[in-house]
C-alpha cells in the first residue's frame, strides 16, 4: 500500500509555507491554501470549508487522503494539524453530507481505487465482506474488558465494566461470605465479598466477565479486605462510571485461555455483542490505562441565562457542545490506539512491552486533555 | 495541623445520662454518682466537676454506695458482681478508675461446701465505713460480709436467716422463711449495729461484733424499705400495700410486736407499694417523711410520685418519668443532733429534679448541669461560636425573664463537691437545639456543664388541634392527692408539624430563622421588651406550576391572625410558608442582605424579609420523583391522625432501647463481634445480605431534595466584579448558583430602597456522580472560607481576599471538589467514597489553631462519614490530614445529629438525652478538669491506695501503668506484695476455699489461676492490639492517597 513516489514529492515541498488544499464536495471542488505551520483551529477550517462550498446549513463530515491514499477524517484540531502537516504538497479534502457519511467507512485502502471513490464506496462496502470495515470514529467506544492480564496472578481477573452509552444496568449484586486464605499460620477463613447475583440482560452478565460467586478482591485498585459490604457497595457505586473490579473467579478453569487474545487482536468487528470483541477492546485500552483512569467526570456546567426568570431547562440542551468536545478526545485516543494496534498485529509481545513502558510513565495521562468520556448526547449518564 | 492529637477525640458528655439505674451521694465530698443500664458510672459535683467510669460489662448498675469521704465507690451490677472504684488524681485531675471487682460464685455448686448459702443474688448492700466492710443482703435471706479493701468475703461471719430465726418467737416462725433481705441500714452513731429488714416484714437490729440480735420487730407486712432515725430511737418502714410504719426502739425490751404508728397515706383504697422511705428530723421541730410510690392503685397507679410530708404539709410531686432513686442532702456530722435536710434530689428516668427544702413551698432548683436535652425529642441542632458578649447578655436576660429564679438559687445548688480546674472558656459557644414540639433551646456550651439559657417556642404562632384538650385535663384534677407537676420532661408533641427542622442564627444582628416540618420558615428577632404585634405571612409556591403532582402529605399549619403578645426574647417577624408544606431541608440567613433562603424536597426559595417579598422560587423536582410529591406520610395518612389522638399519652418516649456503648468499649465489642462472626461463618452464609451495584440515576426518588443553601459575596459572572450570590445543592448532585442584585445603600439605613432584590441564575452544575450535595462554601483568594455576614464589614474578621481567584468547594456524599470561579472548572478533588468506601454525612470548615504558635491557624475541612469516622482535609488542597473513628457506625442517630463547631469541636447525640462533645483540635479542648479533696483512710493496709496518686504526680505523667492493671482486676505488683505481708486476706487462709472448686473466683487477687475474666481480658487485649496494628497500617495508606 505504501506508495513511495509520493514520499519523494513530500520531501520536495516540505519546507513550503503554504499548503494547497483541494476540497471536493460531490462533483464540485474548491481550491484554497493554508499555512502549514499555523494551520489554525479545526472549527475555523470547518467554517472555511462550508463557506467556500456555500453549504453552511448542511452538516458535513470532512475527510482527507493521507500519504497512503487512505481516507481519514478531519474532525478535531489534532487530526487537522496532522492532515495539514502531512500534506503531500496538495491536501485533498473530501466533504460529505453527514447522513451519507454514516454509511461510509474511513480507513485504509479507501482511496486506493482512484476516482469514483465517493460514488462507489457505499456499494462496495456492502459487497466486499472480506474487507476490513472501520466505522466512523464516533462509533468507537470503550467497552467492558479484562485488563492487566500480564501483571495479575493467573487466578485473578481484573475486569473493567464500561457503561459508556450503554443503557443496560450494571446489573450485579454482592454479598458477604468467607474465603480461605493461606497465611503464615496455615489456612485461615477470612471474610470476603462475593458476587451474589447477576441481573439478566445487565452489563455484567452480557459481558460474561463476571460470574456469581466470584470473590471481589479490589475495586478500582483499592483492596476490599477489611471493608464491609456497605463500604464495598459504596465504593463500587462511586466508581460505577468506570468500574474496575479484580475478582478471583469461582470458575478457575477459564483462566488459561490467554491464546484467545490473539484472535481478538485480529480485530474483525466492532460488534459489541460478540464476546471476542471485548478482548480486542482490551488490547486497545490497555495501551492507555491511565488515560482511562482519568475519567474526569467533567461535571456539566451550564451558564445561566441572564434573564431573571428561570424556566427549568432540559438538561441535555447544552450537551451538544460537550459531545463534540468529547468526540475530539475520543478520536484522538482512537488514533493512538490504531497506531498501537497496527504494531500489535506484528507481534503480541511488542504490545506488552509498549504497554509496560506506557504504564511506567504516569505522565502519559497528563498529556491528555481531561475530556469527559461519560457525557455523550442528551442523555447524561455516569 | 498539629500532629499531637488525642487518640480518642471524645472529651465530655453533656446532658442527662441515658437510662439511669442507680444513684448515690457522698455527703462528705458532696458528690453524686449516677449509674446507668449500660454500666457507666458518672460522678457529678459542683458545675464543671464531673467524671465517668465504665464497667467492662455493659450490665445495669443496680446499686451504688460511696465510702463517705474516701472517694471510693462500690457498685453492684445486675450480674451480681461488685466493683470498687476509686477517684484518683493524675496530674492533679480527678479520674474514676475501677480498682477491684468481685464476682460471687456463679453456682452454689455443692451445697454448703464453700459458701454456706447462696450468694447468687445480692439485693442490698450496706457499707460499714468504720470497718471497711460491706454487708450484702441476698435473695436467700443471708447477710454476707465483705472486706471492701480487698473485695473478699469474710468467711464465717455470714449471718444466715436460721440464725436470726432462732431469736424469733415460735409463733412468728411458723415454718415460713424470712424472704430476701430487703433493707440493710447502719446506725449513724453506733457502727456495731445493723438494721436488717426481711421481705416478710421482720426487722432485726444485729450487733455485728457480738454476733447477736439486739432487737427484733415482728412486722407482718411485706417490707419494701427501711430508714433509721438519726438518734437510733425510731425506725420507719415502708410496705408493699402502700403503708408505712414507725417503730420505736426501746432499749429495755428486745422484742417489739407492734409499730407505734402504721398508716396508709393514700388509703383507704388499695395502694401501690412505697418503694423507698426516708425519715429526716429538723432542728426547727418536726420531721420530714419522704417516700416514693404509695399511690392509689386504681386512680393514680400510673403516676410517678414522690411524697414529701412534714407535719401537716403534704406535697405529692408528680413526675413525668419513672423514679429511679432519691436522696436528701442533710447534715451528717456525728455531733449534729438533727438532719436538717437542705434539699431533696430525685433521679428520674429522664431527668434529675432537686427541691429546696429550706425555702417554704419547696421550689425546684434549676440544675446547672444534667439538663434533660430531650424534654422534647431533639430534631436538629446548631452551634454558634464566639457569641458577642452583648448578644449573650441579651439571651441570658431573656431567659431570666422567662423563668424567674429565686435570688438564692445560684448558691443553693446542694451538690458542690470538687473544684473545677478548667480555665474560663476563652469564648462563648451557644448550642441551639430544635425540638419536636416546636421549641428551640439555647444552651451555654462554653464549658463542661451544658447550661440552659433560654427557650424559644414557636407553637404560639400556630393553631393546633390540641389546646382545648389540655385545659380539660387540668379541670378534671382533684385536690387530693395534692399533686404538683415537677420537671420538664414531656416527650409528647401536640402536633408533629411543629417540629423544628433547621435553625440559623446571625449572632451580630440577633436575627434567626427557624424552619419546621410543615414548611414553615420563621424569621425572628431578639427583642428585650414584650411586644404585641401581628406576624406577616407570605407563602412561596416551590412547585412553580409544575403539573401532574399532588401533595398528599400533611397540611400546612394555620397561623393565628391578628396581633399576638410576644414575651421578651426572640419574636417572630415574618412567616414564610413553603408550598407544598413539606419539611424544610435547608435554610440559611444573610442578615446583611436581609435575605433568607430555604429549601424543601420540592425546591428552594429566596425571601427578602425586610421588604417582605419573595425573590425567587425554583422547583428542583425530577419528573419521575413521585415520592417527594406525595409526601412521606401518604399511605398512612388516614390512620395517622386517629392513632395520634388516641395513643398520644401512651406513646413511648423516644428514649427506648437504643444501646449506648461507650467509645472505648465499642471498639472492643465490634472486634469481638467480628471474632464471633469468624468463628461461625456458617451463620453468615446462611443469611446472605445482598447489595445491588447500580450507579445513581437521575430519577432516584427524592432527587430534588435541597440539601444545602449558601450565601457568598463572590465572582459568579465574571472575574472582575464580585457580588452577592446564592448557592443551592440538591440530593441528585445539582448545584444552582444565582447572582443576586441586592440594592446598595442599605447598610446603615433601616429603610430599604424601593428596588427589589433580584436573582439571576448564573451557573448550574451537575455533578456527574450525582451524589447528594452536602455542603457548599466559597474560598477566597488565599483559600480561606469567606467570613460570615457582617464579620468583614464590622472588622470582626480578616477581610476576605477579593483580588485573587475565588473558588467554590462543593462537598457531595462521595467526593469533595474545588472549582475555580467564575469559570466553574474543577481544580482539586478528593474521591472519598472511591478510596475509603464511606460516604460523607456532615461537613464543616473549621479553624484549627496551632498549639505551638499562638497566632497560627489553619482552616480545614472536617467531615463525618457514615462509618462514624471523622476525616480532616486541608483546604483547598483537599489532602487528608488525620482521621479518627468517632461514632460507632451502627449509631445512625448519633451520626445524623453531629454538628461541628468552627473551632474543630463537635457534638453528637450518644443517646436521646446526651450530647457527646469531641475535639479534633489539640488547642481547643473542652474537657472536665477537676479535683476532689479526698480524705484517704490512714490505715496501714491502705498504703497502696495512698501511694498511687502521689506516684503519678511525682512522675509528672499519668500513671498509665497502674490503670490497666487495676482495671482488669488482676493483681498489680504493689498489691501482691502486700498480700505477702501479714495482712493476708482471711479468705486465702481459709482451708475451705483451698479445696473448693470455686476458690479461684473468691481468691482472685492472690492466686494466679486463670479465670474466665482473665481469658476475656486476654482476648480483649489481643483485639485491641489488632486494632492498633490496623491503625498503624492506616498511616501509610493515607500517604498513598496523598500522593495520588
Amino acid at each position: 500500500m505504501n506508495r513511495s513516489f509520493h514520499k519523494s514529492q513530500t520531501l520536495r515541498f516540505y519546507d513550503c509555507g503554504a499548503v494547497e488544499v483541494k476540497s471536493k464536495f460531490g462533483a464540485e471542488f474548491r481550491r484554497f491554501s493554508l499555512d502549514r505551520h499555523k494551520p489554525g483551529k479545526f472549527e475555523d477550517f470547518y467554517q472555511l470549508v462550508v463557506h467556500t462550498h456555500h453549504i453552511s446549513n448542511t452538516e458535513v463530515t470532512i475527510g482527507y487522503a493521507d500519504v497512503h491514499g487512505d481516507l481519514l477524517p478531519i474532525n478535531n484540531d489534532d487530526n487537522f494539524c496532522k492532515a495539514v502537516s502531512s500534506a503531500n504538497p496538495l491536501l485533498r479534502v473530501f466533504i460529505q453530507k453527514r447522513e451519507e457519511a454514516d454509511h461510509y467507512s474511513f480507513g485504509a485502502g479507501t482511496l486506493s481505487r482512484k476516482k469514483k471513490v465517493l460514488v462507489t464506496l457505499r456499494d462496495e462496502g456492502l459487497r466486499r465482506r472480506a474487507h476490513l470495515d472501520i466505522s466512523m470514529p464516533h462509533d468507537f467506544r470503550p467497552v467492558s474488558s479484562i485488563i492487566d492480564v500480564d501483571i495479575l496472578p493467573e487466578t485473578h481477573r481484573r475486569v473493567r465494566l464500561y457503561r459508556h452509552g450503554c443503557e443496560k444496568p450494571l446489573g450485579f449484586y454482592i454479598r458477604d461470605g468467607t474465603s480461605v486464605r493461606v497465611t503464615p499460620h496455615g489456612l485461615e477463613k477470612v471474610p470476603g465479598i462475593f458476587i451474589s447475583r447477576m441481573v439478566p440482560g445487565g452489563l455484567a452478565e452480557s459481558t460474561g466477565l463476571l460470574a456469581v460467586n466470584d470473590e471481589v478482591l479490589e475495586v478500582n485498585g483499592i483492596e476490599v479486605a477489611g471493608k464491609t459490604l456497605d463500604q464495598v457497595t459504596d465504593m463500587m457505586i462511586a466508581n460505577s462510571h468506570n468500574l474496575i473490579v479484580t475478582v478471583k473467579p469461582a470458575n478457575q478453569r477459564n483462566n488459561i485461555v490467554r491464546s484467545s487474545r490473539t484472535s481478538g487482536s485480529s480485530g474483525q468487528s466492532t460488534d459489541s455483542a460478540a464476546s471476542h470483541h471485548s478482548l480486542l477492546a482490551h488490547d486497545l485500552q490497555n495501551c492507555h490505562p491511565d488515560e482511562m483512569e482519568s475519567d474526569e467526570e467533567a461535571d456539566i456546567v451550564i451558564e445561566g441565562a441572564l434573564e431573571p426568570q428561570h424556566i427549568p431547562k432540559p438538561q441535555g440542551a447544552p450537551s451538544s457542545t460537550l459531545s463534540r468536545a468529547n468526540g475530539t478526545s475520543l478520536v484522538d485516543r482512537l488514533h493512538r490506539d490504531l497506531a498501537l494496534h497496527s504494531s500489535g498485529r506484528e507481534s503480541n509481545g511488542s504490545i506488552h512491552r509498549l504497554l509496560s513502558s506506557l504504564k511506567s510513565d504516569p505522565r502519559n495521562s497528563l498529556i491528555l486533555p481531561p475530556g469527559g468520556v461519560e457525557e455523550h448526547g442528551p442523555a447524561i449518564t455516569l | 495541623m498539629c500532629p499531637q492529637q488525642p487518640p480518642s477525640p471524645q472529651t465530655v458528655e453533656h446532658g442527662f445520662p441515658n437510662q439511669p439505674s442507680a444513684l448515690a451521694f457522698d455527703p462528705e465530698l458532696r458528690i453524686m454518682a449516677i449509674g446507668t443500664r449500660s454500666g457507666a458510672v458518672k460522678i457529678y459535683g459542683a458545675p464543671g466537676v464531673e467524671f465517668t467510669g465504665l464497667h467492662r460489662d455493659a450490665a445495669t448498675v443496680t446499686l451504688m454506695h460511696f465510702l463517705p469521704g474516701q472517694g471510693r465507690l462500690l457498685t453492684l451490677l445486675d450480674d451480681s458482681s461488685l466493683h470498687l472504684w476509686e477517684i484518683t488524681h493524675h496530674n492533679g485531675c480527678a479520674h474514676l478508675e475501677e480498682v477491684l471487682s468481685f464476682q460471687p460464685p456463679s453456682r452454689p455448686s455443692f451445697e454448703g461446701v464453700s459458701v454456706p448459702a447462696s450468694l447468687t443474688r445480692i439485693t442490698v448492700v450496706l457499707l460499714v465505713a468504720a470497718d471497711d466492710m460491706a454487708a450484702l443482703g441476698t435473695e436467700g435471706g443471708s447477710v454476707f460480709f465483705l472486706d471492701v479493701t480487698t473485695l473478699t468475703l469474710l468467711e464465717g461471719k455470714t449471718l444466715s436467716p436460721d440464725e436470726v430465726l432462732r431469736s424469733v418467737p415460735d409463733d412468728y416462725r411458723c415454718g415460713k422463711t424470712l424472704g430476701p433481705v430487703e433493707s440493710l441500714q447502719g446506725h449513724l452513731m453506733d457502727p456495731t449495729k445493723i438494721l436488717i429488714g426481711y421481705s416478710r416484714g421482720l426487722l432485726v437490729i444485729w450487733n455485728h461484733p457480738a454476733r447477736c440480735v439486739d432487737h427484733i420487730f415482728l412486722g407482718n407486712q411485706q417490707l419494701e424499705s427501711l430508714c433509721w432515725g438519726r438518734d437510733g430511737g425510731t425506725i420507719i418502714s415502708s410496705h408493699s400495700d402502700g403503708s408505712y410504719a414507725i417503730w420505736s426502739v426501746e432499749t429495755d425490751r428486745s422484742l417489739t410486736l407492734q409499730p407505734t404508728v402504721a398508716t396508709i397515706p393514700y388509703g383507704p383504697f388499695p395502694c401501690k407499694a412505697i418503694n423507698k422511705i426516708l425519715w429526716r428530723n429538723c432542728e426547727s421541730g418536726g420531721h420530714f417523711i419522704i417516700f416514693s410510690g404509695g399511690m392509689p392503685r386504681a386512680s393514680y397507679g400510673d403516676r410517678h410520685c414522690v411524697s414529701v410530708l412534714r407535719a401537716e404539709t403534704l406535697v405529692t410531686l408528680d413526675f413525668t418519668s419513672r423514679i429511679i432513686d432519691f436522696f436528701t442532702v442533710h447534715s451528717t456530722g456525728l455531733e449534729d443532733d438533727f438532719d436538717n435536710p437542705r434539699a431533696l434530689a430525685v433521679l428520674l428516668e429522664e431527668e434529675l429534679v432537686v427541691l429546696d427544702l429550706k425555702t417554704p413551698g419547696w421550689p425546684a432548683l434549676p440544675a446547672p448541669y444534667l439538663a434533660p436535652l430531650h424534654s422534647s425529642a431533639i430534631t436538629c441542632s446548631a452551634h454558634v461560636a464566639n457569641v458577642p458578649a452583648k448578644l449573650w447578655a441579651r439571651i441570658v436576660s431573656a431567659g431570666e425573664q422567662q423563668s424567674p429564679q429565686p435570688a438564692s438559687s445560684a448558691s443553693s445548688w446542694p451538690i458542690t463537691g470538687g473544684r473545677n480546674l478548667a480555665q474560663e472558656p476563652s469564648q462563648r459557644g451557644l448550642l441551639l437545639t430544635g425540638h419536636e414540639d416546636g421549641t428551640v433551646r439555647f444552651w451555654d456550651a462554653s464549658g463542661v456543664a451544658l447550661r440552659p439559657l433560654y427557650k424559644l417556642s414557636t407553637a404560639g404562632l400556630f393553631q393546633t388541634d390540641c389546646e382545648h384538650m389540655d385545659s380539660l385535663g387540668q379541670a378534671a384534677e382533684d385536690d387530693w392527692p395534692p399533686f404538683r407537676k415537677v420537671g420538664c420532661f414531656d416527650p409528647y408533641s401536640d402536633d408533629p408539624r411543629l417540629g423544628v427542622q433547621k435553625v440559623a442564627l446571625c449572632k451580630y444582628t440577633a436575627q434567626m430563622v427557624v424552619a419546621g416540618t410543615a414548611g414553615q420558615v420563621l424569621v425572628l428577632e431578639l427583642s428585650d421588651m414584650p411586644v404585641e404585634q401581628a406576624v406577616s405571612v407570605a407563602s412561596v409556591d416551590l412547585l412553580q406550576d409544575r403539573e401532574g403532582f399532588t401533595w398528599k402529605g400533611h397540611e400546612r399549619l394555620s397561623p393565628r391572625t391578628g396581633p399576638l403578645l410576644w414575651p421578651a426574647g426572640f419574636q417572630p417577624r415574618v412567616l414564610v410558608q413553603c408550598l407544598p408544606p413539606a419539611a424544610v431541608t435547608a435554610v440559611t440567613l444573610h442578615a446583611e442582605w436581609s435575605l433568607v433562603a430555604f429549601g424543601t424536597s420540592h425546591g428552594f426559595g429566596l425571601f427578602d424579609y425586610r421588604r417582605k417579598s419573595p425573590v425567587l422560587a425554583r422547583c428542583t423536582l425530577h419528573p419521575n420523583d413521585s415520592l417527594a410529591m406525595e409526601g412521606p406520610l401518604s399511605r398512612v395518612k388516614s390512620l395517622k391522625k386517629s392513632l395520634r389522638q388516641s395513643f398520644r399519652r401512651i406513646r413511648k418516649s423516644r428514649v427506648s432501647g437504643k444501646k449506648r456503648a461507650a467509645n472505648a468499649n465499642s471498639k472492643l465489642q465490634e472486634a469481638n463481634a467480628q471474632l464471633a462472626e469468624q468463628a461461625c461463618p456458617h451463620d453468615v452464609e446462611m443469611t446472605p445480605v445482598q447489595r445491588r451495584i447500580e450507579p445513581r440515576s437521575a430519577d432516584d426518588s427524592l432527587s430534588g431534595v435541597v440539601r444545602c443553601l449558601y450565601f457568598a459575596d463572590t465572582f459568579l459572572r465574571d472575574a472582575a466584579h464580585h457580588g452577592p450570590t446564592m448557592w443551592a445543592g440538591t440530593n441528585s448532585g445539582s448545584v444552582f448558583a444565582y447572582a443576586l442584585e441586592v440594592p446598595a445603600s442599605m447598610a446603615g439605613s433601616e429603610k430599604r430602597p424601593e428596588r427589589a432584590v433580584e436573582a439571576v441564575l448564573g451557573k448550574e452544575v451537575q455533578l456527574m456522580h450525582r451524589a447528594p450535595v452536602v455542603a457548599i462554601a466559597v474560598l477566597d483568594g488565599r483559600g480561606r472560607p469567606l467570613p460570615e455576614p457582617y464579620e468583614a464589614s464590622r472588622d470582626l474578621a480578616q477581610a476576605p481576599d477579593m483580588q485573587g481567584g475565588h473558588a467554590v468547594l462543593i462537598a457531595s456524599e462521595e467526593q469533595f471538589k474545588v472549582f475555580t470561579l467564575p469559570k466553574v472548572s474543577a481544580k482539586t478533588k478528593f474521591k472519598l467514597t472511591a478510596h475509603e468506601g464511606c460516604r460523607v454525612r456532615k461537613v464543616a470548615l473549621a479553624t484549627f489553631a496551632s498549639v505551638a504558635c499562638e497566632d497560627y491557624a489553619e482552616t480545614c475541612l472536617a467531615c463525618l462519614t457514615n462509618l462514624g469516622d471523622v476525616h480532616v482535609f486541608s483546604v483547598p488542597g483537599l489532602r487528608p490530614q488525620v482521621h479518627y473513628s468517632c461514632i460507632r457506625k451502627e449509631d445512625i442517630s448519633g451520626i445524623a445529629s453531629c454538628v461541628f463547631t468552627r473551632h474543630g469541636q463537635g457534638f453528637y447525640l450518644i443517646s436521646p438525652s446526651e450530647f457527646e462533645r469531641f475535639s479534633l483540635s489539640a488547642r481547643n479542648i473542652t474537657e472536665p478538669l477537676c479535683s476532689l479533696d479526698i480524705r484517704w483512710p490512714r490505715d496501714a493496709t491502705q498504703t497502696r491506695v495512698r501511694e498511687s496518686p502521689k506516684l503519678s504526680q511525682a512522675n509528672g505523667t499519668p500513671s498509665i501503668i497502674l490503670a490497666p492493671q487495676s482495671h482488669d482486676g488482676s493483681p498489680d505488683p504493689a498489691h501482691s506484695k502486700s498480700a505477702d505481708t501479714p495482712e493476708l486476706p482471711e479468705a486465702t487462709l481459709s482451708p475451705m476455699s483451698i479445696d473448693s472448686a470455686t476458690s479461684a473466683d473468691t481468691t482472685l487477687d492472690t492466686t494466679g489461676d486463670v479465670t474466665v475474666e482473665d481469658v476475656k481480658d486476654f482476648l480483649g487485649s489481643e483485639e485491641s492490639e489488632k486494632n492498633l496494628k490496623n491503625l498503624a497500617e492506616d498511616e501509610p495508606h493515607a500517604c498513598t492517597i496523598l500522593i495520588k
Side-chain angles (χ1 to χ4, degrees), chain B residues 296-320:
Chain B
R297 195 173 282 276
S299 39
Y300 301 110
D302 58 341
R303 299 286 182 109
H304 310 290
C305 294
V306 168
S307 305
V308 184
L309 175 70
R310 187 187 176 187
E312 294 306 302
T313 319
L314 171 69
V315 169
T316 313
L317 304 169
D318 185 9
F319 298 102
T320 49

Side-chain angles (χ1 to χ4, degrees), chain A residues 170 196 230 234 299 304 382, chain B residues 690-691 694 762 768 817 839:
Chain A
L170 274 176
S196 63
D230 287 327
D234 287 339
D299 308 302
L382 274 168
Chain B
Q690 291 191 106
R691 293 281 185 276
E694 217 51 73
M768 283 317 290
K817 271 188 157 174
R839 283 197 306 264

Side-chain angles (χ1 to χ4, degrees), chain A residues 306-355:
Chain A
L306 289 177
E307 71 270 18
Q309 243 341 300
H310 356 269
I311 304 102
K313 285 182 202 147
Q315 286 185 331
S319 47
S320 61
T321 53
L322 283 167
S323 70
R324 187 172 299 160
N326 202 3
T328 313
S329 66
L330 266 178
V331 166
D332 168 52
R333 186 173 305 152
L334 178 87
H335 270 244
R336 281 191 267 167
D337 287 347
L338 279 174
L340 284 163
H341 181 65
S342 55
S343 70
R345 253 191 245 170
E346 290 152 24
S347 130
N348 259 325
S350 72
I351 276 197
H352 292 295
R353 245 176 291 147
L354 199 66
L355 188 149

Side-chain angles (χ1 to χ4, degrees), chain A residues 139-147 160-164 203 207 209 270-274 277-282 284-285 292:
Chain A
D139 288 342
F140 277 83
R141 60 180 186 85
V143 291
S144 305
S145 56
I146 299 178
I147 58 171
R160 182 202 299 276
L161 286 178
Y162 213 88
R163 274 187 89 244
H164 179 87
L203 186 64
T207 56
L209 303 178
T270 53
D271 177 8
S272 63
H277 166 76
S278 37
L279 295 165
L280 158 73
H282 149 63
L284 288 178
Q285 289 165 20
M292 296 308 288

Side-chain angles (χ1 to χ4, degrees), chain B residues 693-713:
Chain B
I693 307 298
E694 217 51 73
R696 297 167 190 273
S697 78
D699 51 351
D700 280 349
S701 70
L702 296 175
S703 60
V705 178
V706 176
R707 291 291 296 267
C708 56
L709 291 161
Y710 177 70
F711 285 116
D713 182 4

Side-chain angles (χ1 to χ4, degrees), chain B residues 399-720:
Chain B
E400 277 166 2
Q401 290 182 49
Q402 196 171 45
S403 48
Q405 306 296 346
S408 59
S409 71
S411 56
S412 64
W413 179 253
I415 301 158
T416 54
R419 281 190 316 276
N420 184 3
L421 304 176
Q423 289 176 331
E424 271 295 297
S426 54
Q427 49 106 346
R428 291 183 189 84
L430 195 60
L431 182 69
L432 309 180
T433 54
H435 297 262
E436 204 186 22
D437 61 355
T439 56
V440 177
R441 280 155 219 254
F442 290 63
W443 307 91
D444 174 5
S446 325
V448 164
L450 193 71
R451 192 163 58 95
L453 292 179
Y454 167 72
K455 179 176 129 182
L456 159 70
S457 175
T458 61
L461 183 61
F462 301 103
Q463 295 169 347
T464 49
D465 44 353
C466 307
E467 280 143 28
H468 55 280
M469 288 169 64
D470 283 348
S471 53
L472 273 178
Q474 271 169 1
E477 210 108 289
D478 286 333
D479 292 355
W480 179 261
F483 283 122
R484 189 175 130 198
K485 283 253 175 232
V486 192
C488 60
F489 177 72
D490 177 21
Y492 309 105
S493 168
D494 287 336
D495 193 331
R497 293 176 297 169
L498 289 170
V500 175
Q501 294 293 328
K502 294 286 162 192
V503 177
L505 171 73
C506 171
K507 60 190 177 189
Y508 301 111
T509 54
Q511 291 173 339
M512 74 181 292
V513 193
V514 176
T517 307
Q520 72 272 32
V521 179
L522 266 170
V523 181
L524 306 103
E525 199 168 353
L526 183 60
S527 162
D528 301 324
M529 302 304 261
V531 171
E532 186 166 356
Q533 66 165 25
V535 176
S536 60
V537 181
S539 58
V540 174
D541 180 17
L542 295 178
L543 279 184
Q544 292 288 289
D545 305 324
R546 198 66 84 86
E547 289 195 359
F549 293 122
T550 44
W551 169 252
K552 294 179 193 158
H554 47 232
E555 306 253 298
R556 58 183 280 185
L557 285 162
S558 49
R560 287 170 204 268
T561 47
L564 297 167
L565 181 68
W566 298 103
F570 282 91
Q571 298 167 346
R573 295 283 181 263
V574 184
L575 166 66
V576 185
Q577 177 65 51
C578 299
L579 292 176
V584 175
T585 53
V587 86
T588 185
L589 171 75
H590 201 297
E592 207 168 348
W593 304 335
S594 297
L595 290 174
V596 58
F598 42 86
T600 70
S601 46
H602 303 101
F604 55 89
L606 183 63
F607 192 86
D608 175 349
Y609 60 83
R610 187 166 299 173
R611 278 176 63 102
K612 299 188 171 54
S613 66
V615 177
L616 164 76
R618 164 88 193 226
C619 182
T620 53
L621 273 185
H622 190 271
N624 298 359
D625 189 358
S626 57
L627 193 60
M629 271 321 304
E630 295 180 350
L633 299 168
S634 60
R635 261 182 292 175
V636 288
K637 194 210 167 194
S638 53
L639 223 85
K640 183 198 70 181
K641 206 171 182 185
S642 57
L643 275 179
R644 197 175 73 226
Q645 277 162 356
S646 47
F647 286 102
R648 232 180 69 228
R649 285 284 145 186
I650 307 170
R651 200 182 106 195
K652 265 188 143 183
S653 77
R654 290 196 167 192
V655 185
S656 61
K658 220 170 292 159
K659 271 202 181 149
R660 180 198 152 282
N663 324 302
N665 245 23
S666 62
K667 274 272 164 204
L668 210 72
Q669 283 169 4
E670 262 170 56
N672 284 339
Q674 239 173 16
L675 202 76
E677 217 171 76
Q678 285 171 24
C680 47
H682 299 288
D683 295 358
V684 182
E685 274 170 354
M686 274 197 287
T687 54
V689 184
Q690 291 191 106
R691 293 281 185 276
R692 187 182 161 92
I693 307 298
E694 217 51 73
R696 297 167 190 273
S697 78
D699 51 351
D700 280 349
S701 70
L702 296 175
S703 60
V705 178
V706 176
R707 291 291 296 267
C708 56
L709 291 161
Y710 177 70
F711 285 116
D713 182 4
T714 187
F715 303 89
L716 186 63
R717 291 196 229 187
D718 58 75

Side-chain angles (χ1 to χ4, degrees), chain B residues 589-885:
Chain B
L589 171 75
H590 201 297
E592 207 168 348
W593 304 335
S594 297
L595 290 174
V596 58
F598 42 86
T600 70
S601 46
H602 303 101
F604 55 89
L606 183 63
F607 192 86
D608 175 349
Y609 60 83
R610 187 166 299 173
R611 278 176 63 102
K612 299 188 171 54
S613 66
V615 177
L616 164 76
R618 164 88 193 226
C619 182
T620 53
L621 273 185
H622 190 271
N624 298 359
D625 189 358
S626 57
L627 193 60
M629 271 321 304
E630 295 180 350
L633 299 168
S634 60
R635 261 182 292 175
V636 288
K637 194 210 167 194
S638 53
L639 223 85
K640 183 198 70 181
K641 206 171 182 185
S642 57
L643 275 179
R644 197 175 73 226
Q645 277 162 356
S646 47
F647 286 102
R648 232 180 69 228
R649 285 284 145 186
I650 307 170
R651 200 182 106 195
K652 265 188 143 183
S653 77
R654 290 196 167 192
V655 185
S656 61
K658 220 170 292 159
K659 271 202 181 149
R660 180 198 152 282
N663 324 302
N665 245 23
S666 62
K667 274 272 164 204
L668 210 72
Q669 283 169 4
E670 262 170 56
N672 284 339
Q674 239 173 16
L675 202 76
E677 217 171 76
Q678 285 171 24
C680 47
H682 299 288
D683 295 358
V684 182
E685 274 170 354
M686 274 197 287
T687 54
V689 184
Q690 291 191 106
R691 293 281 185 276
R692 187 182 161 92
I693 307 298
E694 217 51 73
R696 297 167 190 273
S697 78
D699 51 351
D700 280 349
S701 70
L702 296 175
S703 60
V705 178
V706 176
R707 291 291 296 267
C708 56
L709 291 161
Y710 177 70
F711 285 116
D713 182 4
T714 187
F715 303 89
L716 186 63
R717 291 196 229 187
D718 58 75
H721 307 95
H722 63 90
T725 59
M726 187 198 71
W727 299 72
T730 74
N731 229 13
S732 57
S734 298
V735 175
F736 305 91
Y738 284 83
L740 306 180
E741 208 52 69
V742 180
S745 87
M746 28 162 310
S749 76
E750 266 302 300
K751 269 193 88 178
R752 167 159 289 189
E754 287 307 300
R755 273 176 58 215
V757 177
E758 278 178 23
V760 181
L761 182 65
K763 295 277 190 317
E764 213 178 304
V765 181
Q766 174 63 56
L767 299 176
M768 283 317 290
H769 59 285
R770 292 199 168 277
V773 179
V774 179
I776 299 171
V778 171
L779 310 170
D780 73 358
R782 288 180 287 252
R784 287 185 324 229
L786 296 183
E788 285 177 45
Y790 278 117
E791 273 186 345
S793 63
R794 294 192 178 178
D795 278 337
L796 296 161
Q798 203 180 354
D801 176 12
M802 300 307 276
Q803 310 301 321
H806 280 199
V808 60
L809 167 70
I810 297 178
S812 79
E813 272 194 9
E814 289 187 354
Q815 46 182 268
F816 309 114
K817 271 188 157 174
V818 174
F819 297 89
T820 59
L821 284 177
K823 185 181 181 301
V824 181
S825 60
K827 207 162 104 185
T828 52
K829 69 170 173 184
F830 185 82
K831 294 161 113 183
L832 183 74
T833 309
H835 283 300
E836 310 275 335
C838 51
R839 283 197 306 264
V840 179
R841 281 282 172 264
K842 303 273 169 170
V843 145
L845 286 166
T847 318
F848 291 88
S850 160
V851 183
C853 170
E854 276 295 309
D855 303 325
Y856 183 71
E858 262 179 43
T859 301
C860 289
L861 179 76
C863 139
L864 175 78
T865 70
N866 64 331
L867 303 179
D869 295 351
V870 174
H871 297 248
V872 178
F873 295 88
S874 66
V875 167
L878 296 182
R879 275 197 288 274
Q881 305 285 317
V882 278
H883 119 243
Y884 319 90
S885 55

